[in-house]
Amino acid sequence: MKTNLLDIGLVFDNEYLDKYCNLIEENKNSIIEYGQNHHIIPRYYYKHNSMKINNDDSNFVRLSYQDHILAHYYLFNCSDNVLYRRCNAYAIFMMLKKLTVDKFELTDSIYEIINNLDIIDMAYEHLKNRVHKPLTQEQQELIYNYIEKQKVI
């Protein structure tokens, strides 16, 4: 899997790529009732290369909510493609919005991600630059307020 990710130019080799590959391998055959399906080669890669999205079982792994956030965090940190980084930041941002402290035990890794302003800023840039669906004034204000709140933490 690692070689394939490198060969297609999705990522570069570093510790986060190793963490990503380990996370995927550890969860390949696990049964997770409450979680999300994750595209091993993400949808954005196919979309931005004008390719049909690979929805085969071989490109899916079931991850817990927190592991899904970590998967995109690892991808964020092993890519130097600004567009791919923005897509991962956006995925992280949207998943973090769904987590509630009451429902999930937030790990130190998740707190580290929440406090990573690069991710929040890139998610905002991704949202701001979406051509097909511009943000309403209300959405812009919600995102701006969220970013400002994170900077205080």
Side-chain angles (χ1 to χ4, degrees), residues 16-93:
Y16 290 101
L17 177 56
D18 293 334
K19 289 179 179 185
Y20 179 73
C21 292
N22 289 338
L23 180 71
I24 299 305
E25 288 302 322
E26 288 169 5
N27 286 282
K28 255 310 198 191
N29 298 315
S30 61
I31 300 171
I32 298 170
E33 184 178 350
Y34 298 104
Q36 297 173 322
N37 290 329
H38 171 72
H39 284 83
I40 297 167
I41 297 176
R43 290 181 299 184
Y44 62 77
Y45 170 80
Y46 296 100
K47 181 179 176 184
H48 296 295
N49 287 289
S50 301
M51 299 166 64
K52 183 180 177 205
I53 295 172
N54 180 356
N55 287 321
D56 295 341
D57 287 344
S58 63
N59 193 39
F60 277 110
V61 64
R62 184 99 174 140
L63 298 174
S64 69
Y65 295 110
Q66 294 195 23
D67 281 348
H68 198 188
I69 292 169
L70 287 174
H72 283 280
Y73 180 66
Y74 296 153
L75 285 170
F76 174 88
N77 283 296
C78 64
S79 177
D80 53 7
N81 180 308
V82 174
L83 186 58
Y84 295 168
R85 288 175 59 87
R86 282 184 183 167
C87 289
N88 282 302
Y90 176 72
I92 293 165
F93 181 79

